[in-house]
mmCIF file of all heavy atoms in Angstrom:
data_model
loop_
_atom_site.group_PDB
_atom_site.id
_atom_site.type_symbol
_atom_site.label_atom_id
_atom_site.label_comp_id
_atom_site.label_asym_id
_atom_site.label_seq_id
_atom_site.Cartn_x
_atom_site.Cartn_y
_atom_site.Cartn_z
ATOM 1 N N GLU A 37 -18.501 -2.592 -23.989
ATOM 2 C CA GLU A 37 -18.607 -2.229 -22.581
ATOM 3 C C GLU A 37 -17.219 -2.115 -21.952
ATOM 4 O O GLU A 37 -16.273 -2.789 -22.376
ATOM 5 C CB GLU A 37 -19.416 -3.282 -21.810
ATOM 6 C CG GLU A 37 -20.868 -3.375 -22.231
ATOM 7 C CD GLU A 37 -21.625 -4.424 -21.424
ATOM 8 O OE1 GLU A 37 -20.950 -5.280 -20.799
ATOM 9 O OE2 GLU A 37 -22.861 -4.366 -21.417
ATOM 10 N N ASP A 89 -12.283 -0.555 3.720
ATOM 11 C CA ASP A 89 -11.652 0.293 2.713
ATOM 12 C C ASP A 89 -10.263 -0.211 2.316
ATOM 13 O O ASP A 89 -9.719 0.209 1.286
ATOM 14 C CB ASP A 89 -11.538 1.731 3.217
ATOM 15 C CG ASP A 89 -12.883 2.420 3.311
ATOM 16 O OD1 ASP A 89 -13.791 2.048 2.530
ATOM 17 O OD2 ASP A 89 -13.053 3.308 4.166
ATOM 18 N N GLN A 106 -0.264 0.180 0.563
ATOM 19 C CA GLN A 106 0.480 0.081 1.807
ATOM 20 C C GLN A 106 -0.504 0.203 2.977
ATOM 21 O O GLN A 106 -1.580 0.795 2.833
ATOM 22 C CB GLN A 106 1.516 1.210 1.853
ATOM 23 C CG GLN A 106 2.571 1.056 0.767
ATOM 24 C CD GLN A 106 3.241 2.361 0.379
ATOM 25 O OE1 GLN A 106 2.752 3.450 0.680
ATOM 26 N NE2 GLN A 106 4.362 2.255 -0.320
ATOM 27 N N LYS A 163 -1.601 -9.466 15.241
ATOM 28 C CA LYS A 163 -2.747 -8.834 15.889
ATOM 29 C C LYS A 163 -3.945 -8.787 14.945
ATOM 30 O O LYS A 163 -5.079 -9.090 15.347
ATOM 31 C CB LYS A 163 -2.384 -7.412 16.334
ATOM 32 C CG LYS A 163 -1.416 -7.336 17.488
ATOM 33 C CD LYS A 163 -2.108 -7.516 18.834
ATOM 34 C CE LYS A 163 -2.895 -6.297 19.230
ATOM 35 N NZ LYS A 163 -3.439 -6.396 20.615
ATOM 36 N N PHE A 285 14.052 -4.178 2.815
ATOM 37 C CA PHE A 285 12.876 -3.381 2.491
ATOM 38 C C PHE A 285 12.912 -3.080 0.994
ATOM 39 O O PHE A 285 13.972 -3.088 0.369
ATOM 40 C CB PHE A 285 12.819 -2.093 3.321
ATOM 41 C CG PHE A 285 14.069 -1.247 3.285
ATOM 42 C CD1 PHE A 285 14.234 -0.266 2.323
ATOM 43 C CD2 PHE A 285 15.076 -1.434 4.226
ATOM 44 C CE1 PHE A 285 15.376 0.527 2.297
ATOM 45 C CE2 PHE A 285 16.225 -0.643 4.209
ATOM 46 C CZ PHE A 285 16.381 0.336 3.236
ATOM 47 N N ARG A 317 3.402 -3.574 3.576
ATOM 48 C CA ARG A 317 2.244 -4.041 2.819
ATOM 49 C C ARG A 317 1.936 -5.467 3.251
ATOM 50 O O ARG A 317 2.842 -6.243 3.550
ATOM 51 C CB ARG A 317 2.563 -3.996 1.319
ATOM 52 C CG ARG A 317 1.408 -4.305 0.383
ATOM 53 C CD ARG A 317 1.883 -4.216 -1.061
ATOM 54 N NE ARG A 317 2.451 -2.913 -1.392
ATOM 55 C CZ ARG A 317 1.802 -1.948 -2.035
ATOM 56 N NH1 ARG A 317 0.547 -2.165 -2.450
ATOM 57 N NH2 ARG A 317 2.388 -0.795 -2.286
#
Side-chain angles (χ1 to χ4, degrees):
E37 295 181 343
D89 290 332
Q106 295 156 344
K163 290 278 286 187
F285 52 90
R317 187 180 303 260

